[in-house]
Amino acid sequence: MTTGVQVLDHPLVQHKLSIMRKKETSTSKFRGLLHEIGMLIGYEVTRDLPVTSVRIETPLAEMDAPMIDGKKLVFISVLRAGNGLVDGMLQVVPSARVGHVGLYRDHETLQAVEYYFKVPTDLEDRDVIVTDPMLATGNSAIAALDRIAALKPKRLKYACLLAAPEGVAALQGAHPDVPIYTAAIDSHLNEKGYIVPGLGDAGDRIYGTR
Ligand code: URA
């Protein structure tokens, strides 16, 4: 398995991300672009799925054709912004199973507190991709991955749209075996925990709540 960080430097991804970053980009445009990037991340994050050869018949001849092997993938969305990326990823892997993890940040301790957890029961046999657009401090990502790693998925990956160097370091410290996929690694976190230059609050921009 790939370890470390993979930055999706494809021009299509970078172009779409730049439009998302602009403060004047509308909610509907932002949501649509996240969906499109979700498809491209879904494409890249599944690149190393094992395939098996299956005998099929085309209108002209029989052949041994490659098909994805093993049980269906699982995408796990870290609520609420993770849903925006998972929607796009499902477009390219429509048969994937979907789980949800809800976490909020306790204002006093700044730790992630879980309020919702629902994932498929048989993760031992499945590849799992945990998704949240913004890898900022890494606290939510680590809390989600701690919980999911305890269920012993066959393989575990983390996919986001934007990462801060601080979040990457924290996540790699806590889960060194989990590869990270991101469209960009930005400069730093500000004092409020926002990624700079970033794109603002991903949840608010997806759902128009601010
Ligand atoms: N979450 C967001 O939505 N944006 C950030 O910049 C950091 C965390």
Side-chain angles (χ1 to χ4, degrees), residues 134 136 193-195 200-203:
M134 309 299 271
Y194 279 90
I195 298 175
D201 185 293

PDB file of all heavy atoms in Angstrom, residues 134 136 193-195 200-203, ligand 1:
ATOM      1  N   MET A 134     -11.414  19.040   4.852  1.00  0.00           N
ATOM      2  CA  MET A 134     -10.343  19.867   5.428  1.00  0.00           C
ATOM      3  C   MET A 134      -9.581  19.120   6.514  1.00  0.00           C
ATOM      4  O   MET A 134     -10.130  18.825   7.583  1.00  0.00           O
ATOM      5  CB  MET A 134     -10.958  21.141   6.021  1.00  0.00           C
ATOM      6  CG  MET A 134     -11.875  21.888   5.065  1.00  0.00           C
ATOM      7  SD  MET A 134     -11.059  22.465   3.583  1.00  0.00           S
ATOM      8  CE  MET A 134     -10.485  24.062   4.104  1.00  0.00           C
ATOM      9  N   ALA A 136      -7.262  19.928   9.062  1.00  0.00           N
ATOM     10  CA  ALA A 136      -6.728  21.149   9.687  1.00  0.00           C
ATOM     11  C   ALA A 136      -5.816  20.785  10.859  1.00  0.00           C
ATOM     12  O   ALA A 136      -4.636  20.508  10.664  1.00  0.00           O
ATOM     13  CB  ALA A 136      -7.890  22.050  10.085  1.00  0.00           C
ATOM     14  N   GLY A 193      -7.603  27.875  13.932  1.00  0.00           N
ATOM     15  CA  GLY A 193      -7.606  26.514  13.384  1.00  0.00           C
ATOM     16  C   GLY A 193      -8.073  26.439  11.944  1.00  0.00           C
ATOM     17  O   GLY A 193      -8.390  25.351  11.455  1.00  0.00           O
ATOM     18  N   TYR A 194      -8.125  27.587  11.249  1.00  0.00           N
ATOM     19  CA  TYR A 194      -8.473  27.567   9.821  1.00  0.00           C
ATOM     20  C   TYR A 194      -7.217  27.412   8.971  1.00  0.00           C
ATOM     21  O   TYR A 194      -6.155  27.945   9.316  1.00  0.00           O
ATOM     22  CB  TYR A 194      -9.195  28.863   9.411  1.00  0.00           C
ATOM     23  CG  TYR A 194     -10.657  28.831   9.776  1.00  0.00           C
ATOM     24  CD1 TYR A 194     -11.088  29.297  11.004  1.00  0.00           C
ATOM     25  CD2 TYR A 194     -11.599  28.302   8.898  1.00  0.00           C
ATOM     26  CE1 TYR A 194     -12.429  29.245  11.360  1.00  0.00           C
ATOM     27  CE2 TYR A 194     -12.932  28.245   9.239  1.00  0.00           C
ATOM     28  CZ  TYR A 194     -13.344  28.710  10.470  1.00  0.00           C
ATOM     29  OH  TYR A 194     -14.664  28.640  10.815  1.00  0.00           O
ATOM     30  N   ILE A 195      -7.388  26.711   7.850  1.00  0.00           N
ATOM     31  CA  ILE A 195      -6.282  26.524   6.918  1.00  0.00           C
ATOM     32  C   ILE A 195      -6.079  27.817   6.114  1.00  0.00           C
ATOM     33  O   ILE A 195      -7.052  28.401   5.609  1.00  0.00           O
ATOM     34  CB  ILE A 195      -6.554  25.332   5.978  1.00  0.00           C
ATOM     35  CG1 ILE A 195      -6.681  24.034   6.792  1.00  0.00           C
ATOM     36  CG2 ILE A 195      -5.446  25.212   4.931  1.00  0.00           C
ATOM     37  CD1 ILE A 195      -7.075  22.802   5.969  1.00  0.00           C
ATOM     38  N   GLY A 200     -11.894  28.813   3.596  1.00  0.00           N
ATOM     39  CA  GLY A 200     -12.910  29.154   4.594  1.00  0.00           C
ATOM     40  C   GLY A 200     -13.478  27.896   5.235  1.00  0.00           C
ATOM     41  O   GLY A 200     -12.827  26.850   5.254  1.00  0.00           O
ATOM     42  N   ASP A 201     -14.698  28.011   5.744  1.00  0.00           N
ATOM     43  CA  ASP A 201     -15.345  26.869   6.393  1.00  0.00           C
ATOM     44  C   ASP A 201     -16.025  26.022   5.324  1.00  0.00           C
ATOM     45  O   ASP A 201     -16.985  26.463   4.682  1.00  0.00           O
ATOM     46  CB  ASP A 201     -16.370  27.364   7.423  1.00  0.00           C
ATOM     47  CG  ASP A 201     -16.966  26.206   8.198  1.00  0.00           C
ATOM     48  OD1 ASP A 201     -17.697  25.385   7.599  1.00  0.00           O
ATOM     49  OD2 ASP A 201     -16.685  26.099   9.404  1.00  0.00           O
ATOM     50  N   ALA A 202     -15.520  24.820   5.130  1.00  0.00           N
ATOM     51  CA  ALA A 202     -16.017  23.984   4.027  1.00  0.00           C
ATOM     52  C   ALA A 202     -17.510  23.679   4.195  1.00  0.00           C
ATOM     53  O   ALA A 202     -18.276  23.761   3.229  1.00  0.00           O
ATOM     54  CB  ALA A 202     -15.211  22.694   3.954  1.00  0.00           C
ATOM     55  N   GLY A 203     -17.926  23.342   5.416  1.00  0.00           N
ATOM     56  CA  GLY A 203     -19.347  23.025   5.645  1.00  0.00           C
ATOM     57  C   GLY A 203     -20.237  24.201   5.306  1.00  0.00           C
ATOM     58  O   GLY A 203     -21.250  24.053   4.615  1.00  0.00           O
TER      59      GLY A 203
HETATM   60  N1  URA B   1     -12.428  23.294   8.665  1.00  0.00           N
HETATM   61  C1  URA B   1     -12.827  24.086   7.642  1.00  0.00           C
HETATM   62  O1  URA B   1     -13.946  23.969   7.167  1.00  0.00           O
HETATM   63  N2  URA B   1     -11.950  25.009   7.174  1.00  0.00           N
HETATM   64  C2  URA B   1     -10.723  25.157   7.668  1.00  0.00           C
HETATM   65  O2  URA B   1      -9.977  25.995   7.171  1.00  0.00           O
HETATM   66  C3  URA B   1     -10.326  24.332   8.740  1.00  0.00           C
HETATM   67  C4  URA B   1     -11.196  23.403   9.224  1.00  0.00           C
END
